[in-house]
Amino acid sequence: MICVCLGEGSPSQEMKDAFLLLADEAVEAGVNTFYVGAESETEAMMLEILHKIKRAHSKMEITVVLTEDPGENWPDDLAVCPKGVEHLSGAEAIEARNEWLMFMADFFIGFMNTKNTASRKLIETAKKRKIEFFNLSQAVA
């Protein structure tokens, strides 16, 4: 099973603690692959925590999903850019990447500002596809 992890902004300690708990529970529930964005400090925090969890779960896979060709900038992680996204830029690239991620997801852990159009679209897609979704912004409110 695949869990997508996306977020915006800067993470608080509360958010780090909540993400650690949710990601650990996802692994215990059978998630073996995590797709993580690489656009924000929150996503960097998610990636760091997932690497710590992976130490105890050697079969767990982590893939960084980018909006541009990864080149050789990601030696420690498998990094991919969904086909066609590398030709887009800015918000258009992020939206196309997010659509690809939601197509792949069984679970979704995010830190989403529901006032942000892109975040609302992600939440709506998760609901429509019946993807189990956890919004860290509600967990730490």
Side-chain angles (χ1 to χ4, degrees):
M1 289 195 291
I2 295 172
C3 181
V4 169
C5 303
L6 297 171
E8 52 199 3
S10 300
S12 65
Q13 186 59 49
E14 263 185 316
M15 195 185 346
K16 291 176 185 179
D17 295 342
F19 180 75
L20 174 60
L21 181 67
L22 284 171
D24 230 3
E25 287 177 4
V27 170
E28 295 303 320
V31 170
N32 58 354
T33 302
F34 287 85
Y35 286 161
V36 186
E39 306 293 328
S40 70
E41 290 178 39
T42 294
E43 291 168 346
M45 172 273 298
M46 291 170 162
L47 186 60
E48 181 182 328
I49 287 173
L50 289 172
H51 277 288
K52 289 178 183 174
I53 294 170
K54 185 176 179 174
R55 290 184 204 136
H57 301 278
S58 60
K59 294 184 181 185
M60 186 176 120
E61 294 181 18
I62 303 168
T63 300
V64 178
V65 184
L66 305 170
T67 56
E68 58 190 30
D69 184 342
E72 296 184 21
N73 297 329
W74 296 91
D76 297 333
D77 295 299
L78 177 59
V80 299
C81 177
K83 187 175 177 137
V85 172
E86 73 278 6
H87 302 299
L88 304 172
S89 62
E92 197 175 43
I94 291 171
E95 186 173 326
R97 179 211 54 190
N98 291 352
E99 286 177 22
W100 182 85
L101 284 167
M102 288 296 98
F103 179 76
M104 305 299 290
D106 297 300
F107 297 94
F108 175 33
I109 301 173
F111 182 71
M112 302 285 119
N113 173 353
T114 56
K115 294 179 176 126
N116 176 309
T117 302
S119 294
R120 279 197 319 269
K121 189 170 184 176
L122 273 168
I123 294 166
E124 289 168 11
T125 301
K127 287 178 182 176
K128 185 168 35 171
R129 291 205 55 239
K130 297 182 178 21
I131 297 167
E132 197 164 349
F133 170 57
F134 303 94
N135 190 349
L136 292 173
S137 67
Q138 294 171 342
V140 298

